[in-house]
Amino acid sequence: MLVKGDRVTVIDEAVNGIVLSVKNNEITIETDDGFQLTYFVNELIKIQKSSDLNFGIGSHNLSQVLKEKEIPKPRSFVKEKKTRDERGVPEFDLHIEKLVPNKRGMSNYDILTLQTETAKRHVEFAIKNRIPKIVFIHGVGEGVLKAELDFLLGRYDEIIFQDADYQKYGLGATEVYIKQNPNR
């Protein structure tokens, strides 16, 4: 229980001060900088001695708590480790919505032609620039685009293709590997 005159520290802020008033669950303090701020009881810790804090459950070392307040903890995250082959693998989404701003007025033939021409352009670019692997995202649908893509890719001798990683893309993508010929 806090009373007027108690020295307190704010749990999640670097603020210390003296209790000025206690009204129900709200405590008004004057900070060491001279500001009057109001906090809820559960946001404050009473400083009994210069080295102790009272949590109502027991005492803790004030210097340790203050050190934890002042030093930001490093963010912890797990970075997905990618193999050398997976870094920067170009992915091309062949969904018509990604290729044109508005498909209104386009027939299914026009859409399929645009999608296959786009795929062909990317394949030729990858071959020309010696890019070892690309991924086409075509979606599942009825399989018409996938069949056209398979037909297109089958016409190249320097290409091997297969369904892309199921965990990453599901059934709607194809990986294309370009054989690197040192004579080119």
Side-chain angles (χ1 to χ4, degrees):
M1 185 66 190
L2 297 172
V3 294
K4 184 176 178 179
D6 282 344
R7 179 130 179 92
V8 293
T9 186
V10 182
I11 293 176
D12 290 329
E13 297 177 28
V15 176
N16 296 327
I18 305 290
V19 174
L20 294 179
S21 67
V22 179
K23 291 183 185 167
N24 298 329
N25 243 4
E26 295 182 357
I27 311 289
T28 302
I29 67 168
E30 182 177 343
T31 67
D32 292 345
D33 299 324
F35 295 101
Q36 287 188 10
L37 302 173
T38 302
Y39 293 96
F40 289 109
V41 175
N42 60 352
E43 296 177 306
L44 299 173
I45 299 172
K46 180 179 176 183
I47 303 173
Q48 290 185 336
K49 299 181 207 164
S50 61
S51 64
D52 290 340
L53 296 176
N54 182 7
F55 285 95
I57 300 169
S59 297
H60 293 278
N61 188 327
L62 173 62
S63 60
Q64 179 65 30
V65 172
L66 292 177
K67 191 185 296 181
E68 288 176 7
K69 283 172 56 174
E70 292 171 6
I71 301 170
K73 292 186 172 84
R75 290 184 8 191
S76 171
F77 60 92
V78 178
K79 188 171 183 181
E80 184 178 320
K81 192 89 170 173
K82 293 185 178 180
T83 64
R84 189 172 164 225
D85 295 338
E86 291 176 338
R87 287 187 203 126
V89 174
E91 297 175 351
F92 303 105
D93 194 336
L94 297 178
H95 287 93
I96 192 64
E97 302 83 25
K98 302 290 184 179
L99 301 178
V100 293
N102 188 353
K103 68 176 185 174
R104 198 171 347 161
M106 294 180 75
S107 68
N108 288 345
Y109 175 79
D110 294 336
I111 292 171
L112 187 60
T113 302
L114 177 63
Q115 291 170 318
T116 53
E117 288 297 319
T118 302
K120 182 178 179 183
R121 235 183 16 257
H122 289 303
V123 167
E124 305 256 333
F125 181 84
I127 292 170
K128 180 180 173 192
N129 292 290
R130 302 178 61 81
I131 298 171
K133 177 183 172 184
I134 59 176
V135 175
F136 288 114
I137 300 169
H138 47 72
V140 179
E142 295 178 20
V144 176
L145 178 57
K146 181 173 177 22
E148 281 295 314
L149 196 57
D150 289 354
F151 179 75
L152 170 73
L153 297 173
R155 298 192 332 216
Y156 292 92
D157 293 333
E158 61 268 73
I159 285 180
I160 300 170
F161 62 96
Q162 65 185 23
D163 288 341
D165 180 23
Y166 178 76
Q167 287 182 326
K168 186 170 183 181
Y169 301 102
L171 295 171
T174 300
E175 286 180 338
V176 179
Y177 297 93
I178 292 98
K179 298 178 194 172
Q180 301 298 318
N181 185 350
N183 298 334
R184 290 186 157 230

